[in-house]
Structure formats: C-alpha cells, structure tokens
Amino acid sequence: MKLHHQPMTRSSRVRWLLAELDVPHEVAHVDVFMGEGRKPEYRQLNPHGYVPALEVDGQVILESSAICLFLADRHLDKGLAPAHDSPLRAKYYQWMVYVPATCDPAVEAIMFHTRFLPEEKRLPALVESSKKKWRICERVLAEGLGDKPWILGDAFSAADVVVASSLGWARFADVLGEDPKLRSYLERACMRPGFTAGHSG
Ligand SMILES: N[C@@H](CCC(=O)N[C@@H](CS)C(=O)NCC(=O)O)C(=O)O
C-alpha cells in the first residue's frame, strides 16, 4: 500500500488514520506546493494533481474521505468505524461526506484568498461568504458533538480524524470560533499518538 502524501494537506488525514490503524504502508512524497502534482507521472494517478492518492491492491483510490472510509472498513476489527449494522453508520457517513463536501471548500477559499494567492487575485467578497458558510459548519459540528467526547459518542473513529482535521485547518486559517467544546475536542484529537505520528512528515 502506497500513500502519495504532502504534509499539511488533506493527505495528512489519511496518514493520521493509517497511524491510528497501525497499518504498514509506504509513503511517496509529492510536493504539491512545488508543483510535483502537475508532473505527467503523477497525473496518471490523480489527473487533478492532488494528494492524497492511495495505491492498494492494484487500484488507485482518490479523495481523502473515501480513502478513510475504505481503510477503516478494511480494518473494522480496529474499531475505527461503526459496525455495518450499527445505527451509528448513518451519522458516520454524514460526517465523512459533510467535511469534504461542505466544510473544506469554505476553509479552502478563506485560506487561498487571505494567504496563498497573490494580493491582486484575492476576492474579499468570497472570503466573507466563505466565513459565513464556515460559521454554519461550526454550528453543525458543535451540535453534532454535543457533550460527547467524540463525534459519534464515546469511541474515537475515522470520522474524528476527518472532522478534527477540518477544525485544525480552520484554526490554521484563523477562523476557528470560540466554542469551548469544539476547541477542547480539537485539543483532545491532537493529543492522540496517532495524530503526532500521522503529522510527522
Ligand atoms: N477533495 C480532495 C481534495 C484534495 C486536494 O485538494 N488536495 C490539495 C492539498 S489539500 C492538493 O493536492 N492541491 C494541489 C494543487 O492544487 O495543485 C480530497 O479530499 O482528497
């Protein structure tokens, strides 16, 4: 199994989950910040040039959440996904899709248009509308978390890898709100040994 990875990107979610699952894997670094994703060899794996991409069993799997869903199910015995017949499955799917479909685009737009793009290409109106969307995301995540330690309840799962990484990204973009429950949830997630291992490069 080979993960195409760049630290501090969405492939870090997969790296973190692989560490939590304790699954042996090879890491191929693709410096997307230096344009390595655009090389023709890499575009054969991911035509968009994005990380992550996971090579496994003769297939290439794209999309960080899809890869996390696949890995957590493949190692269901490790307890990082609810059982297939568990009532928690519905919310599990919700969070695994909600983050990349709704939260990530908001934070990504904020980051690009406040930091990464040259000043003349930044769109302040997009930053404002994305901040509004992110505030709704935070409310949905906070309500989903409630008073539980983890997003599905007492047990840490792959959904926490995905949700906490989105919150971490929002903190990096300087838009994480003050909700104490979300903040302590993020701290709790970042203190896991798997988090440290998954972010070590
Ligand atoms: N929806 C995709 C997004 C992947 C993505 O946009 N990756 C970024 C890093 S966070 C990337 O590789 N960007 C390289 C580029 O834009 O050239 C996922 O969740 O895997």
Side-chain angles (χ1 to χ4, degrees):
M1 183 184 303
K2 191 197 276 187
L3 174 66
H4 296 267
H5 170 62
Q6 161 73 51
M8 303 295 290
T9 69
R10 271 165 277 200
S11 63
S12 302
R13 292 174 184 169
V14 179
R15 194 97 217 276
W16 177 9
L17 184 65
L18 283 164
E20 294 279 350
L21 292 167
D22 198 19
V23 171
H25 60 280
E26 193 186 328
V27 173
H29 283 278
V30 184
D31 193 338
V32 290
F33 302 132
M34 295 302 286
E36 283 183 13
R38 290 194 288 275
K39 289 187 174 166
E41 314 84 86
Y42 187 69
R43 279 203 198 260
Q44 284 184 359
L45 296 176
N46 186 338
H48 295 282
Y50 298 159
V51 287
L54 184 76
E55 287 187 78
V56 59
D57 300 340
Q59 299 192 80
V60 181
I61 312 178
L62 309 180
E63 291 296 328
S64 54
S65 261
I67 297 171
C68 289
L69 282 161
F70 164 76
L71 289 171
D73 272 0
R74 186 175 165 115
H75 301 279
L76 208 54
D77 57 308
K78 303 274 173 81
L80 293 185
H84 287 285
D85 59 355
S86 163
L88 293 175
R89 268 273 156 177
K91 281 290 176 186
Y92 175 64
Y93 290 132
Q94 175 188 299
W95 299 125
M96 296 302 266
V97 175
Y98 180 66
V99 167
T102 305
C103 306
D104 286 352
V107 182
E108 186 172 46
I110 296 164
M111 269 200 318
F112 270 83
H113 290 269
T114 58
R115 291 185 186 199
F116 296 158
L117 289 173
E119 298 246 353
E120 68 278 10
K121 292 200 171 155
R122 296 181 190 175
L123 302 172
L126 180 60
V127 173
E128 281 322 299
S129 62
S130 301
K131 281 184 177 174
K132 279 187 193 147
K133 282 183 196 154
W134 172 252
R135 281 196 285 276
I136 299 173
C137 291
E138 274 198 0
R139 209 167 69 224
V140 171
L141 294 173
E143 282 171 16
L145 183 64
D147 291 318
K148 307 187 297 298
W150 301 112
I151 199 80
L152 295 180
D154 289 332
F156 178 85
S157 72
D160 293 298
V161 168
V162 171
V163 169
S165 81
S166 177
L167 291 171
W169 218 25
R171 181 169 59 185
F172 179 67
D174 230 2
V175 290
L176 184 65
E178 293 304 320
D179 186 297
K181 284 181 192 163
L182 276 188
R183 282 187 168 259
S184 61
Y185 167 75
L186 178 58
E187 293 312 318
R188 204 156 44 248
C190 294
M191 280 166 61
R192 292 183 66 86
F195 176 89
T196 313
H199 289 81
S200 62

